[in-house]
């Protein structure tokens, strides 16, 4: 094996793409500032539990980029195509879009508004709404730790494959499945009497690199993180466009695309497993319930139009998944074409070679990216190393965005705890029922209207329309969908242990779930014992302010205190 000059040059281009985009955008912004004679404020004041603390403030572009990076993650390009292949093509996409509108978007908007309204991170936000919910906030902090513990391992896989892409021929060219299972995972055929097994040093070093990247991006505050997001948001988009245009020209790509958008297995629409998969996919992608949208929104400008930002993020997130599917299924179609041209695959039942289908290759499970697609890189011929660097760099940067936001959110949990207990802020380096009962739909509508009143694009304020859709989603379909997903997956895992793992590993998983469920009631107990209540300002006060503002700026009638707010 020898170093691949094409792969190395491509990697340098990938690394430089984001900073270049940031530099251009910064130059344009500075020219605009000079022309307008305006200076951007660098910080604003906020409070945590009544104590003043200097708060960094994010510009509208930085806020949108951060949320885009948070939403568009590894699952968009890795898990989404696998689920489409598993659940009958277009039928899954319909279920995904339904769950997007009736569950994920209402939950996402709710968190964004609460963060901007309270100007507090998750713990402070929940306590301000009502102290009974602070246990839920700390439960979300525990979720972040558990998710990052395994999510970053996936990013470590991508780093190993990027390193392998710099070698010619590709180290997995002979047998991609064996390379992933043996060289990357050092996996076992079964888990009987195996224990934890030895440390896989290649994977351990790659995981260390991931955590060092996270540390370097978060250690110096949000200004540095904003610059990093130009790399991790713009980079994947550019790389995906290149990958997409090159993939659709491969032999057999049309068959893959036909399966992706042309196949529709209507029977699976009656399968609850499919609906649970669609719901979990979009919820994990947008990730409401982690506290990150609340935290990020608490740093945006008070006059930022979070309703519009929410729509931009959810549309771009789903568009990235759908566009990425064309690239992935083009490659899967080519894999199927090459296998059939070579005589097919071995049928284990009959012991003879048989032709394979796109559906069979697309249902390769979690190994779709690291086995099937990795093997498909060979189809690019002399450009195999370059395209391999592009693909696995996309996976890495998509994942880094999400883990940056999760880690930043967890840092905020620690900062808030230190502020409450010690009164000082440490150096930066060293969901539906709550809304329905204590925050309220009417407060959301009034806040969005007040926050955007007088903006250039919304001089009369942003209307949350259609009102009936948002109220139905927030009060019914979103909590109902989440409860359905929880109890259905819970019962499924009880009936059939996940992944065939041994009992002691299953026990660790159940213990983590029990810990998460146990944290939330603690806030209720402490609230009852202390007798404290919500510190949100009276809704009538904000309605009066909105009515006065509308009376001056428009001929719209003011809102009465007892009117139903259906703006």
């Amino acid at each position: 094996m020898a170093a691949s000059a094409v792969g190395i040059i491509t990697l340098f281009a990938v690394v430089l793409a984001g900073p270049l985009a940031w530099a251009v955008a910064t130059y344009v912004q500075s020219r605009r500032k000079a022309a307008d004679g305006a200076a951007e404020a660098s910080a604003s004041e906020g409070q945590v539990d009544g104590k003043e603390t200097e708060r960094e403030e994010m510009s509208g572009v930085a806020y949108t980029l951060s949320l885009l990076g948070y939403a568009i993650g590894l699952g968009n390009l890795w898990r989404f195509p696998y689920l489409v292949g598993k659940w009958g093509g277009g039928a899954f996409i319909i279920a995904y879009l339904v769950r997007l509108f009736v569950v994920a978007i209402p939950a996402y908007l709710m968190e964004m508004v609460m963060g901007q309204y309270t100007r507090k991170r998750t713990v402070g936000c929940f306590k301000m709404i009502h102290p009974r919910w602070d246990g839920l906030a700390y439960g979300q902090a525990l979720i972040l730790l558990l998710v990052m513990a395994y999510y970053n391992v996936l990013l470590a896989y991508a780093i190993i494959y990027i390193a392998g892409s710099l070698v010619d021929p590709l180290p997995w060219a002979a047998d991609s499945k064996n390379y992933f299972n043996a060289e990357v995972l050092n996996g076992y055929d079964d888990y009987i009497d195996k224990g934890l097994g030895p440390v896989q040093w290649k994977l351990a070093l790659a995981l260390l690199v991931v955590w060092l990247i996270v540390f370097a991006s978060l250690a110096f505050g949000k200004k540095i993180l904003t610059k990093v997001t130009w790399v991790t948001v713009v980079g994947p988009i550019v790389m995906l466009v290149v990958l997409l245009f090159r993939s659709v020209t491969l032999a057999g790509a049309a068959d893959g695309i036909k399966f992706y958008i042309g196949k529709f297995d209507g029977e699976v629409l009656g399968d609850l497993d499919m609906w649970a998969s669609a719901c979990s996919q979009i919820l994990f992608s947008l990730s409401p319930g982690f506290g990150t949208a609340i935290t990020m929104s608490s740093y945006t400008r008070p006059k930022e139009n979070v309703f519009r930002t929410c729509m931009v993020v959810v549309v771009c997130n789903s568009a990235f998944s759908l566009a990425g599917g064309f690239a992935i299924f083009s490659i899967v179609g080519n894999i199927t074409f090459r296998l059939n041209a070579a005589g097919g695959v071995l049928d284990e039942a009959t012991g003879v070679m048989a032709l394979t289908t796109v559906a069979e290759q697309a249902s390769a499970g979690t190994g779709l990216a690291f086995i099937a697609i990795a093997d498909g890189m060979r189809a690019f011929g002399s450009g195999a190393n370059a395209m391999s660097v592009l693909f696995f760099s996309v996976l890495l940067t998509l994942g880094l965005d999400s883990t940056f936001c999760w880690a930043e959110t967890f840092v905020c949990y620690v900062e808030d705890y230190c502020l409450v207990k010690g009164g000082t802020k440490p150096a930066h380096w060293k969901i539906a029922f709550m809304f329905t009962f204590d925050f309220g739909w009417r407060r959301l509508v009034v806040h969005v209207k007040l926050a955007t009143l007088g903006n250039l694009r919304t001089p009369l304020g942003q209307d949350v329309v259609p009102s009936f859709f948002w109220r139905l989603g927030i009060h019914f379909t979103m909590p109902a969908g989440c409860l359905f997903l929880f109890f259905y997956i819970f019962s499924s895992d009880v009936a059939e242990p996940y992944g065939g793992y041994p009992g002691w590993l299953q026990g660790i998983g159940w213990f983590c779930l029990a810990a998460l469920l146990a944290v939330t009631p603690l806030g209720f107990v402490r609230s009852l014992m202390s007798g404290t209540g919500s510190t949100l300002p009276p809704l009538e006060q904000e309605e009066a302010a909105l009515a006065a503002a509308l009376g001056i700026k428009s001929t719209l009638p003011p809102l009465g205190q007892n009117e139903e707010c259906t703006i």
Side-chain angles (χ1 to χ4, degrees):
M1 290 187 177
S4 169
V6 174
I8 294 172
I9 292 172
T10 303
L11 182 59
F12 273 109
V14 166
V15 172
L16 292 175
L20 181 61
W22 171 78
V24 172
T26 302
Y27 174 76
V28 173
Q29 187 178 37
S30 64
R31 297 283 294 179
R32 185 177 301 166
K33 281 183 180 180
D36 296 342
E40 182 179 347
S42 60
S44 64
E45 294 297 317
Q47 294 184 334
V48 175
D49 291 338
K51 298 171 182 174
E52 296 291 338
T53 175
E54 184 182 282
R55 290 175 61 82
E56 300 171 90
E57 189 174 276
M58 304 172 72
S59 68
V61 173
Y63 173 57
T64 303
L65 279 176
S66 296
L67 288 176
L68 279 173
Y70 170 52
I72 302 175
L74 193 61
N76 293 66
L77 205 59
W78 168 59
R79 191 170 183 265
F80 180 81
Y82 150 63
L83 291 175
V84 172
K86 179 181 178 180
W87 294 110
F92 177 82
I93 295 177
I94 288 181
Y96 169 88
L97 292 175
V98 169
R99 290 301 191 184
L100 168 67
F101 282 102
V102 303
V103 177
I105 295 180
Y108 201 58
L109 176 65
M110 179 183 75
E111 289 201 344
M112 292 172 66
V113 170
M114 289 194 302
Q116 186 193 36
Y117 177 87
T118 61
R119 311 299 296 164
K120 296 178 184 291
R121 287 90 69 99
T122 309
V123 174
C125 173
F126 284 14
K127 284 184 176 180
M128 185 175 179
I129 293 173
H130 201 288
R132 68 166 69 101
W133 298 110
D134 69 341
L136 179 60
Y138 289 114
Q140 290 183 344
L142 182 55
I143 289 176
L144 289 176
L145 279 180
L146 295 176
V147 170
M148 284 191 292
Y150 84 84
Y151 191 83
N152 285 359
V153 174
L154 300 176
L155 306 189
Y157 296 166
I159 286 181
I160 293 174
Y161 276 85
I162 291 172
S165 301
L166 305 181
V167 177
D168 189 25
L170 295 172
W172 56 84
D175 189 341
S176 60
K177 184 175 183 180
N178 180 71
Y179 179 83
F180 181 64
N181 291 331
E183 297 296 324
V184 178
L185 300 183
N186 191 27
Y188 302 128
D189 294 331
D190 61 67
Y191 299 97
I192 300 175
D193 299 326
K194 295 297 193 305
L196 291 175
V199 174
Q200 175 71 324
W201 288 107
K202 183 185 295 184
L203 187 55
L205 289 174
L207 186 59
L208 175 62
V209 171
V210 172
W211 281 109
L212 288 176
I213 293 173
V214 172
F215 171 80
S217 300
L218 300 180
F220 305 105
K222 290 176 182 58
K223 288 186 177 180
I224 297 299
L225 181 60
T226 297
K227 297 175 183 178
V228 172
T229 55
W230 278 99
V231 180
T232 54
V233 174
V234 177
I237 295 174
V238 174
M239 290 184 283
L240 178 63
V241 171
V242 174
L243 185 67
L244 176 61
F245 278 98
R246 180 64 183 89
S247 299
V248 296
T249 64
L250 294 173
D255 292 332
I257 295 174
K258 182 179 179 181
F259 172 85
Y260 179 49
I261 60 174
K263 177 178 169 54
F264 186 89
D265 188 355
E267 293 182 359
V268 302
L269 290 175
D271 193 323
L272 290 180
D273 283 336
M274 191 271 290
W275 285 96
S277 295
C279 191
S280 62
Q281 170 64 23
I282 186 57
L283 284 177
F284 192 79
S285 183
L286 288 177
S287 298
F290 283 70
T292 302
I294 293 176
T295 298
M296 293 298 174
S297 298
S298 74
Y299 287 102
T300 192
R301 294 166 174 169
K303 297 293 288 182
E304 189 69 34
N305 190 336
V306 295
F307 180 81
R308 185 182 65 213
T309 302
C310 177
M311 297 300 103
V312 169
V313 171
V314 297
V315 169
C316 290
N317 173 67
S318 295
F320 192 95
S321 292
L322 295 170
F326 281 94
I328 296 299
F329 277 96
S330 293
I331 297 174
V332 172
N334 175 258
I335 293 171
T336 306
F337 173 83
R338 288 189 294 109
L339 287 173
N340 289 336
V345 297
L346 181 65
D347 189 330
E348 296 181 0
T350 62
V352 299
M353 300 296 288
L355 297 181
T356 186
T357 65
V358 173
E360 291 173 350
Q361 295 303 311
S363 59
T366 54
L368 178 63
F370 298 106
I371 298 176
I373 303 301
D375 182 66
M377 291 296 113
R378 294 185 299 160
F380 293 104
S382 59
N385 291 88
M387 298 308 295
S388 185
V389 167
L390 279 176
F391 177 74
F392 291 108
S393 295
V394 170
L395 290 185
L396 175 62
T397 51
L398 287 176
L400 283 175
D401 272 327
S402 297
T403 201
F404 285 161
C405 291
W406 288 331
E408 170 68 17
T409 303
F410 187 77
V411 168
C412 290
Y413 280 113
V414 175
E415 287 181 349
D416 285 351
Y417 181 81
C418 293
L419 281 163
V420 172
K421 296 300 181 183
T424 58
K425 178 178 177 179
H428 210 95
W429 64 273
K430 302 211 202 174
I431 257 211
F433 299 117
M434 172 184 64
F435 177 88
T436 300
F437 294 143
D438 291 319
F439 192 84
W441 159 256
R442 193 169 183 178
R443 191 183 297 273
L444 180 149
V445 173
V446 171
H447 168 71
V448 171
K449 190 82 169 176
L450 269 175
T452 56
L453 200 65
N455 285 357
L456 183 62
R457 296 184 180 180
T458 55
L460 298 180
Q462 175 67 58
D463 294 330
V464 183
V465 292
S467 175
F468 75 89
F469 165 77
W470 292 104
R471 298 184 67 181
L472 178 67
I474 290 174
H475 292 300
F476 178 70
T477 59
M478 184 264 292
C482 292
L483 285 174
F484 157 76
L485 181 63
F486 173 80
F487 286 112
Y488 186 78
I489 293 180
F490 181 87
S491 61
S492 299
D493 286 344
V494 169
E496 183 178 350
Y498 174 78
Y501 290 107
W504 65 273
L505 275 178
Q506 299 282 350
I508 294 176
W510 287 112
F511 173 79
C512 292
L513 175 61
L516 291 172
L517 295 177
V519 171
T520 299
L522 296 179
F524 282 76
V525 174
R526 290 200 298 178
S527 176
L528 289 174
M529 293 178 63
S530 64
T532 55
S534 173
T535 56
L536 291 173
L539 178 58
E540 292 79 5
Q541 175 182 325
E542 297 188 337
E543 287 181 331
L546 177 59
L550 289 174
I552 295 172
K553 294 179 177 294
S554 72
T555 58
L556 294 176
L559 290 172
Q561 291 187 3
N562 297 317
E563 282 186 37
E564 186 62 29
C565 187
T566 56
I567 297 173

